[in-house]
Amino acid sequence: MIVGAQWGDEGKGKIVDLLAQHSDVVCRYQGGPNAGHTIIVDGETFKIRQIPSGVISGKVSVLGAGCVVDPQVFLEEVDELESRGVATDVVRLSGNAHLVMPWHVAIDQASERRLGQLQIGTTRRGIGPAYSDKASRIGIRVQDVLDPKILRQKIEVALAEKNVWLERVYEVEPFSLEEVADRYEAHAQRLRPYVADTSLLVDQALRDGKFVLFEGAQGTLLDLDHGTYPFVTSSNPVAGAAATGIGIGPNRLDSIIGVAKAYVTRVGEGPLPSEIPPPQQQQVRELGGEFGTVTGRERRCGWLDLVALRYAARVNGLTSLALTKLDVLSAFAELPVCVRYLLPDGSETADFPAHQSDFHHCRPVYETLAGWEEPLDTCDSLESLPAAARRYVEFVEESLDVEVSLIGTGAERERVLSPRGLETVARP
Ligand code: IMP
């Protein structure tokens, strides 16, 4: 199980892609087209948002019940992948997953505009409104595409209410029932072959002794329950949600790998205690290519925050850590690492604050480690890393009491060091 240990964009796509080579099934259990995975294979870049990244390696790729699926985005990705020679007949969609409909996207956009300065900074892909409708039990599910009559009826019922909201509350254009119904009936026909009982499929695969990889989207601190609410996404990226999001027992998870950058980034609003002051932040952003896959927005960059990472280790039960983009730090002579927070009452804590006001007003307490100031291009083992880089990795392990099982030193699939061997990590 791969889970984002920070605010998303930790480089999970690449780690999943790597471990997918040793897996039989790859599953997404939450989130929707707000996720952006960048995978580089043989110099070719794939950016996918909705379909699990395992598809690139031809693995059975599951979107579980906990996901939301935008049919338009899904089908565009299918077309793009097929046109580039990647087969999509390995993709399976849970009938219980909810659909992101055009009104969800419109409401997400209108709601953010209305919030103005108080906006969440969402990806504006309709994620929050789709999960809200799911919780309110008025959502449209993937399985509804199996029956054209039911689909049309549900679209009609939903639009009767959503159009009132759009026109009267948000003062934007309503949708035409005929136009939406016709478009989604056409989408439905194309979605049907992908619909499957994915809980049964994954259970069967596990019973057959197959290796199943769960890929979390977003990250721990964007979790609806355990993240920095309200600046979070509307689903649960944490590891425990893989069981509910797929429909398997929690005892089926053998290994939980948190993915964290060697620094931190965040897109959207909300506190980021270790945010780097402007000139150096710009440098990290440029070196790390820190611009959103989905929205193209600049990511805010900070020094590694071990308080937040220790929290991620706790709420996910991390069994090991993948530390990505270590090479980006090669440019710096000194590397501050946040080890504690200074709280407004003057006390210091190494534990993530339980109360949001403490987190919003805390200041980072740094320990400064020596940089290595040399490229990591030629490093092909832990031993070949510069001593200061090894020390950086050890410092993380000691602070979290979690082993670092994978180290990213560059963008390509090959540029990941695995001190214990990839096979051992991928097949626990
Ligand atoms: P939403 O998921 O579009 O509702 O956005 C809610 C928050 O989650 C915003 O701060 C987004 O920037 C953030 N977010 C959503 N998906 C991702 C992701 O894949 N990577 C990083 N941040 C994300």
Side-chain angles (χ1 to χ4, degrees):
M1 142 105 237
I2 307 291
V3 60
Q6 295 163 326
W7 277 279
D9 308 317
E10 299 93 349
K12 293 182 293 294
K14 186 180 150 196
I15 301 294
V16 169
D17 172 54
L18 191 71
L19 298 185
Q21 313 306 310
H22 301 268
S23 309
D24 303 296
V25 181
V26 180
C27 308
R28 277 190 58 180
Y29 55 90
Q30 47 76 226
N34 49 346
H37 297 293
T38 307
I39 299 154
I40 304 173
V41 187
D42 299 332
E44 217 186 323
T45 303
F46 292 89
K47 287 184 190 273
I48 43 181
R49 283 159 37 194
Q50 180 75 76
I51 297 179
S53 27
V55 71
I56 310 281
S57 323
K59 306 294 172 170
V60 174
S61 297
V62 170
L63 281 155
C67 295
V68 288
V69 182
D70 185 326
Q72 187 112 15
V73 176
F74 178 85
L75 294 170
E76 277 168 19
E77 277 182 15
V78 162
D79 291 340
E80 161 84 11
L81 289 166
E82 293 281 351
S83 75
R84 294 175 68 183
V86 179
T88 58
D89 56 358
V90 290
V91 177
R92 300 284 181 276
L93 273 177
S94 165
N96 289 356
H98 279 244
L99 295 181
V100 181
M101 299 300 285
W103 51 85
H104 293 137
V105 180
I107 291 171
D108 197 0
Q109 291 171 351
S111 153
E112 284 284 274
R113 264 200 308 275
R114 228 173 117 98
L115 281 169
Q117 292 223 316
L118 297 177
Q119 68 173 327
I120 308 291
T122 73
T123 59
R124 303 193 176 202
R125 305 288 162 171
I127 305 302
Y131 276 111
S132 300
D133 279 358
K134 169 182 170 171
S136 303
R137 295 157 298 179
I138 53 167
I140 301 180
R141 295 192 294 173
V142 166
Q143 59 184 277
D144 296 327
V145 308
L146 299 174
D147 184 327
K149 261 223 248 33
I150 291 182
L151 180 64
R152 199 174 183 91
Q153 202 178 31
K154 291 204 170 180
I155 292 176
E156 193 171 346
V157 171
L159 265 187
E161 186 197 317
K162 300 300 175 187
N163 273 345
V164 175
W165 272 92
L166 286 168
E167 279 190 283
R168 306 238 184 109
V169 178
Y170 293 118
E171 297 172 333
V172 294
E173 284 296 303
F175 286 94
S176 137
L177 170 64
E178 287 313 309
E179 197 271 320
V180 175
D182 288 350
R183 187 149 49 101
Y184 278 76
E185 274 166 18
H187 288 339
Q189 289 206 27
R190 294 195 59 203
L191 283 179
R192 261 174 234 148
Y194 296 100
V195 182
D197 183 342
T198 50
S199 160
L200 184 64
L201 182 156
V202 172
D203 181 68
Q204 197 58 54
L206 290 168
R207 281 174 195 277
D208 291 345
K210 301 240 168 83
F211 285 88
V212 181
L213 186 65
F214 300 95
E215 69 171 276
Q218 292 85 45
T220 303
L221 294 158
L222 291 172
D223 186 279
L224 182 58
D225 293 298
H226 304 287
T228 51
Y229 191 91
F231 304 105
V232 294
T233 192
S234 297
S235 66
N236 292 107
V238 295
T244 49
I246 293 293
I248 52 161
N251 56 340
R252 309 297 276 283
L253 302 176
D254 298 314
S255 164
I256 302 168
I257 305 174
V259 185
K261 275 177 192 158
Y263 48 100
V264 292
T265 61
R266 173 165 206 175
V267 280
E269 309 307 316
L272 183 65
S274 59
E275 191 157 9
I276 305 170
Q280 261 189 335
Q281 173 164 180
Q282 185 70 16
Q283 201 183 349
V284 174
R285 183 178 301 124
E286 297 291 333
L287 288 167
E290 298 298 353
F291 303 90
T293 311
V294 176
T295 58
R297 286 183 291 179
E298 284 189 350
R299 295 180 184 142
R300 297 154 63 196
C301 302
W303 299 120
L304 185 63
D305 182 342
L306 288 173
V307 180
L309 204 48
R310 201 175 298 111
Y311 175 68
R314 161 158 52 106
V315 297
N316 292 299
L318 297 185
T319 55
S320 80
L321 192 73
L323 197 63
T324 62
K325 296 186 130 179
L326 191 64
D327 53 306
V328 173
L329 297 183
S330 296
F332 301 93
E334 291 192 329
L335 298 169
V337 175
C338 174
V339 289
R340 288 183 301 282
Y341 293 157
L342 175 63
L343 299 179
D345 68 3
S347 65
E348 288 190 4
T349 178
D351 288 317
F352 196 75
H355 197 285
Q356 76 166 31
S357 305
D358 282 337
F359 182 61
H360 282 233
H361 298 111
C362 74
R363 300 231 304 276
V365 177
Y366 291 114
E367 203 158 304
T368 301
L369 304 189
W372 44 93
E373 295 185 278
E374 55 179 293
L376 305 180
D377 304 7
T378 54
C379 301
D380 55 5
S381 66
L382 186 66
E383 295 70 36
S384 63
L385 282 176
R390 277 207 308 275
R391 178 67 201 126
Y392 193 85
V393 174
E394 278 162 16
F395 190 81
V396 172
E397 289 184 320
E398 286 158 14
S399 307
L400 304 179
D401 197 18
V402 174
E403 171 209 5
V404 173
S405 57
L406 298 166
I407 303 163
T409 59
E412 297 78 21
R413 194 189 260 173
E414 313 70 63
R415 302 281 301 278
V416 175
L417 312 179
S418 51
R420 262 196 295 126
L422 201 55
E423 182 81 15
T424 335
V425 179
R427 301 188 154 206

